[in-house]
Amino acid sequence: MAEQIVAGPTAAAFAAATEAARDAGPTALPAFAHAADAGPMLEAEELARHFDVSRPLLQRLFAGEARRILRAVDGVSFSIPKGTTLSLVGESGCGKSTVARLVVGLYPPTRGRVIFDGQDLAQARADSAQRRRMQMIFQDPYASLNPRWRVQDIIAEPIRAFGLVTDRGAQRDRVAQLLTQVGLSPLDGEKFPHEFSGGQRQRISIARALSSNPEFLVCDEPTSALDVSVQAQILNLMKALQRDLGLTYLFISHNLAVVRQISDRIGVMYLGRIAELAPAETLFTAPRHPYTRALMEAIPDLDMTGRKRIPVGGEVPSPISPPPGCPFHPRCPLANERCRAEVPALLPARGTPESVVACHAVEEGRDHIEAPLAVAAALS
Amino acid sequence: MMPALLEVEDLRVEFPTRRGLLTALDGISFAIDPGEVLGVVGESGAGKSMTGAAIIGLLEPPGRIAAGQVRLAGRRIDTLPYEEMRKIRGREIGAIFQDPLTTLNPLYRIGDQLIETMQTHLGVNAAEARRRAIEWLELVGIPAAAQRVDSYPHEFSGGMRQRVVIALALCAEPKLIVADEPTTALDVSIQAQVITLLKRLAREKGTAMMLVTHDMGVIAEAADRVAVMYAGRIAEIGPVREVVRHPKHPYSVGLMASIPPLDRRVERLAQIEGAMPRLSAIPPGCPFNPRCPYAFGRCRTERPELLETGATRAACWLYDAASERHVAGARAHG
């Protein structure tokens, strides 16, 4: 099933794309999109978003401080082919949720641009016919539904706002159909959000997002607030909807196991940048970036196969004063002088050219992927 | 035989409300030995945090213990007056909560909080307490502990703060630690550091630990035994390896199956239909019966006690000798 959805490029196309990317230098990505059958639904080009977190001017003058700029997202590029799911994973503060907000236009980018189905996002947002094609699902279904509205009005709001169906009776039918589609009863439309559990509320959020017939959904941690058995229900629902409606997803999560279940491709973010971007299976079978490998090694082991969980040392540095060079170098066992000075570019990895990795150690071939990270460090 | 360090027997917690009495915990019994880690898992509202709160005597009013006993080292603690219980908390029972910011007083240097705790509970002098505070900070992995001891909580990151909270819970050398979601607010890379630390300290000091979490991965890694809770009751309890690999209660089976695997992609995750009942609408008989694929007549009328299933005990009529027939049927299905 998954294989049919991922209209993956052929090996030859890969080789060509890889070569082109090496020649074009640091910012270019392999041309996945052109090799795929469908064009990209969404492209991000060198997207950046900085926040000014300085203290007020007077205080700053007295203290003699400079401005403090938080680089939440600092040069992120990716493209999502139609009908596929790209997931962004990373720890808190890595910028994944900021990317989600940038691609639906909730924040304007500081630098770079978003292209939605071939059109610049700023233009697309100005046109309601384009705007209704993208929707967002948020993490907290307790905060994202108006407690004073009946469920049917919550779901019908986008239909009314975009003027998709004007006849009241037809609106009711559409709401009933949406409720059924997400596994609720049409009678639930009469109720208020507080009458539902977290999982049911997330179903209502999904029904509302679907009501404008979108093609592209941005899902920001949609199952993180849910219990594990409910999470399974929502993930199954999201997969079924993608299959039935041909939806394209940008899925934001911190949970690697969840991401593995739903993604075609996965980008691992660290401190506002993409550390590694790879097809889902490749990322899990052959993680390349030392940070990705550390994350995989740090996940608690349910099967208890005797694998020792190896914690990543240290913590994520502040995005206000990120370290020079590779942002991961203070925690990386493979870091050397070059890593401390030079920002690595996202390049196709040796051995797994379908992964693009921003790591000098991988590029130079001193990452010893067959050994655990600590051993690899000793070898290199 | 030595009694277990913590014994909870037939604990029942009730909440009087305008619409009548709600039973939040019903017939909870378990024991924890010194040096043992008991994991408590369940979905939100299953009563796992409330069990912890009842043990440390911090139930939110109007909640109250309506029946049963809690014994610490053989001594009954659920009936103690507030002041007595306050002395036990900190000295004999250490508590770690999910959010380290609410546990630490933002106006005190972390060293002073550790020093005060040790002076109160261990009766050591100020200089000795300070020396031990620095030692504890080193032990939980705070770099430059001798300097950091004079920092305020806001000067630490989330992961570092949680280490301080752990040091604070352990510094009076309690016999029992009640840890409620100690790693939930932390990122996965930090989570691993904190779990490893907690487990090591429990081992080294012989401290018993009740580890409440919704994360089975954390349980699988840190706990010796695990209790699975559902609708205010224990559905299954047993060695962690058995409960994770060979769960017996249909709810544990569903819960384990719905965890997304990390090592492969599955087209459709197993899911338990429906949702856990609200406290005001717990069905008669087994609380899981409306969602249970194996439910039969008796499940709808008669509440199952914890029954032996081999390696674990499960509150399920499938494991009663009188329901042998159904067990055979269920096994054939499973």
Side-chain angles (χ1 to χ4, degrees):
Chain A
M1 202 59 227
E3 287 70 20
Q4 291 168 10
I5 300 172
V6 197
T10 62
F14 253 125
T18 306
E19 277 312 309
R22 277 193 199 281
D23 295 344
T27 59
L29 290 176
F32 291 117
H34 303 295
D37 290 346
M41 189 79 220
L42 188 104
E43 290 168 279
E45 290 179 356
E46 273 301 294
L47 206 53
R49 172 71 203 191
H50 299 171
F51 294 97
D52 189 340
V53 292
S54 315
R55 293 204 286 171
L57 179 68
L58 262 183
Q59 285 185 23
R60 225 168 57 225
L61 288 178
F62 281 129
E65 279 179 7
R67 279 191 172 280
R68 288 152 62 88
I69 305 294
L70 188 152
R71 296 161 193 272
V73 176
D74 205 17
V76 162
S77 303
F78 55 82
S79 84
I80 315 176
K82 282 179 181 158
T84 70
T85 301
L86 172 74
S87 292
L88 294 178
V89 288
E91 301 180 273
S92 35
C94 72
K96 55 193 192 300
S97 287
T98 307
V99 170
R101 289 180 152 76
L102 283 167
V103 301
V104 291
L106 288 177
Y107 292 144
T110 306
R111 196 176 72 229
R113 59 180 194 147
V114 178
I115 297 157
F116 177 68
D117 203 9
Q119 195 180 13
D120 190 84
L121 185 72
Q123 284 171 30
R125 294 286 305 170
D127 176 1
S128 74
Q130 293 296 316
R131 207 164 59 231
R132 67 135 196 96
R133 296 173 63 201
M134 61 184 98
Q135 288 289 350
M136 189 158 178
I137 300 169
F138 296 92
Q139 173 170 359
D140 185 357
Y142 289 83
S144 62
L145 303 175
N146 188 331
R148 313 183 76 156
W149 282 22
R150 286 183 197 278
V151 165
Q152 58 197 15
D153 295 320
I154 291 174
I155 295 175
E157 190 192 15
I159 304 178
R160 292 174 188 150
F162 288 114
L164 299 177
V165 182
T166 45
D167 174 60
R168 284 263 156 189
Q171 275 181 16
R172 254 197 311 279
D173 293 347
R174 173 75 179 130
V175 169
Q177 184 206 345
L178 285 161
L179 281 167
T180 315
Q181 201 162 27
V182 297
L184 295 171
S185 151
L187 296 175
D188 287 333
E190 293 290 331
K191 297 182 187 165
F192 288 95
H194 72 87
E195 298 177 65
F196 295 90
S197 67
Q200 289 171 319
R201 283 178 201 228
Q202 205 55 302
R203 288 176 192 267
I204 296 169
S205 302
I206 293 172
R208 176 181 56 184
L210 293 177
S211 70
S212 69
N213 301 317
E215 293 152 52
F216 176 53
L217 282 186
V218 175
C219 316
D220 188 2
E221 303 261 15
T223 64
S224 305
L226 306 176
D227 283 312
V228 62
S229 70
V230 181
Q231 167 174 279
Q233 295 174 357
I234 298 296
L235 288 176
N236 285 336
L237 173 67
M238 290 185 61
K239 284 169 104 169
L241 290 171
Q242 179 169 55
R243 194 174 53 231
D244 298 346
L245 305 173
L247 299 171
T248 306
Y249 290 145
L250 174 63
F251 193 93
I252 310 291
S253 180
H254 69 280
N255 186 328
L256 281 165
V258 164
V259 153
R260 177 160 208 179
Q261 304 309 317
I262 195 144
S263 316
D264 297 300
R265 288 192 305 133
I266 299 170
V268 178
M269 286 190 68
Y270 191 76
L271 222 60
R273 294 170 202 232
I274 290 181
E276 176 163 6
L277 183 64
E281 279 316 300
T282 313
L283 189 86
F284 281 93
T285 48
R288 299 301 304 270
H289 196 286
Y291 177 60
T292 316
R293 290 167 65 184
L295 270 186
M296 303 270 181
E297 287 173 7
I299 295 172
D301 188 4
L302 196 55
D303 291 331
M304 295 174 292
T305 43
R307 185 195 63 156
K308 256 268 166 276
R309 180 168 163 183
I310 306 161
V312 201
E315 301 197 24
V316 184
S318 158
I320 296 172
S321 50
C326 170
F328 187 59
H329 87 250
R331 304 173 75 187
C332 181
L334 304 179
N336 66 8
E337 277 317 310
R338 187 181 174 203
C339 304
R340 285 185 267 276
E342 190 186 327
V343 178
L346 214 43
L347 296 173
R350 286 166 189 269
T352 54
E354 65 273 33
S355 318
V356 287
V357 180
C359 176
H360 294 314
V362 172
E363 191 203 342
E364 294 163 15
R366 53 185 173 85
D367 59 332
H368 303 280
I369 42 173
E370 65 293 336
L373 205 51
V375 181
L379 291 173
S380 71
Chain B
M1 205 180 116
M2 272 265 293
L5 181 75
L6 177 78
E7 293 163 288
V8 176
E9 201 178 298
D10 217 12
L11 185 71
R12 179 181 172 92
V13 169
E14 292 176 346
F15 278 76
T17 70
R18 270 178 302 171
R19 293 186 194 160
L21 201 61
L22 294 182
T23 305
L25 295 181
D26 196 0
I28 303 288
S29 300
F30 61 85
I32 311 181
D33 286 327
E36 186 186 38
V37 180
L38 175 77
V40 178
V41 281
E43 301 182 49
S44 14
K48 51 192 197 302
S49 291
M50 194 170 292
T51 307
I55 290 168
I56 59 179
L58 287 179
L59 275 179
E60 297 259 345
R64 58 183 161 82
I65 296 180
Q69 291 193 1
V70 181
R71 288 190 299 272
L72 186 69
R75 177 191 181 194
R76 194 156 171 198
I77 59 169
D78 57 299
T79 47
L80 290 179
Y82 185 84
E83 266 309 301
E84 285 279 292
M85 194 59 203
R86 205 177 62 84
K87 283 183 196 146
I88 288 187
R89 277 196 303 273
R91 177 67 191 94
E92 292 178 59
I93 306 180
I96 302 172
F97 298 104
Q98 176 169 352
D99 181 2
L101 258 194
T102 54
T103 307
L104 296 170
N105 188 328
L107 299 177
Y108 284 89
R109 299 172 199 275
I110 56 150
D112 292 342
Q113 303 190 40
L114 286 162
I115 290 165
E116 189 194 311
T117 307
M118 283 186 280
Q119 282 189 297
T120 310
H121 294 298
L122 301 180
V124 293
N125 66 34
E128 170 66 10
R130 187 180 165 86
R131 192 188 62 75
R132 288 201 200 175
I134 295 170
E135 230 173 65
W136 272 108
L137 292 178
E138 275 166 2
L139 202 60
V140 296
I142 302 228
Q147 285 92 55
R148 299 292 272 169
V149 70
D150 291 319
S151 304
Y152 289 93
H154 76 266
E155 297 175 75
F156 291 86
S157 66
M160 285 294 152
R161 253 181 238 147
Q162 195 61 307
R163 287 159 195 262
V164 174
V165 171
I166 290 173
L168 198 57
L170 292 172
C171 70
E173 294 168 15
K175 298 178 197 138
L176 172 72
I177 300 274
V178 176
D180 189 355
E181 304 274 8
T183 59
T184 306
L186 306 177
D187 280 314
V188 67
S189 69
I190 310 299
Q191 214 182 64
Q193 301 171 5
V194 170
I195 296 269
T196 314
L197 173 72
L198 261 180
K199 208 173 145 178
R200 201 191 73 215
L201 293 177
R203 286 280 128 80
E204 285 173 7
K205 309 269 173 195
T207 316
M209 183 154 69
M210 175 173 161
L211 177 63
V212 174
T213 176
H214 69 280
D215 187 338
M216 276 313 298
V218 168
I219 292 280
E221 184 148 30
D224 302 307
R225 283 186 308 134
V226 59
V228 180
M229 291 192 65
Y230 186 80
R233 300 166 193 194
I234 293 180
E236 181 163 5
I237 184 165
V240 68
R241 212 165 256 274
E242 287 300 318
V243 176
V244 170
R245 284 194 185 158
H246 312 289
K248 293 297 191 318
H249 194 289
Y251 173 66
S252 326
V253 173
L255 188 66
M256 298 308 153
S258 64
I259 298 170
L262 187 65
D263 59 351
R264 64 189 185 281
R265 178 175 167 132
V266 292
E267 236 4 271
R268 194 182 145 80
L269 292 163
Q271 60 183 53
I272 313 173
E273 295 303 330
M276 197 166 66
R278 292 173 180 217
L279 290 181
S280 53
I282 294 179
C286 169
F288 188 61
N289 86 68
R291 304 173 73 189
C292 181
Y294 309 120
F296 56 96
R298 196 176 178 190
C299 304
R300 294 182 191 97
T301 53
E302 211 180 325
R303 177 180 165 183
E305 296 303 322
L306 284 173
L307 301 166
E308 294 296 334
T309 70
T312 75
R313 287 185 303 143
C316 177
W317 286 129
L318 292 175
Y319 300 97
D320 187 43
S323 337
E324 246 353 77
R325 234 163 12 93
H326 297 279
V327 179
R331 292 220 174 109
H333 274 96

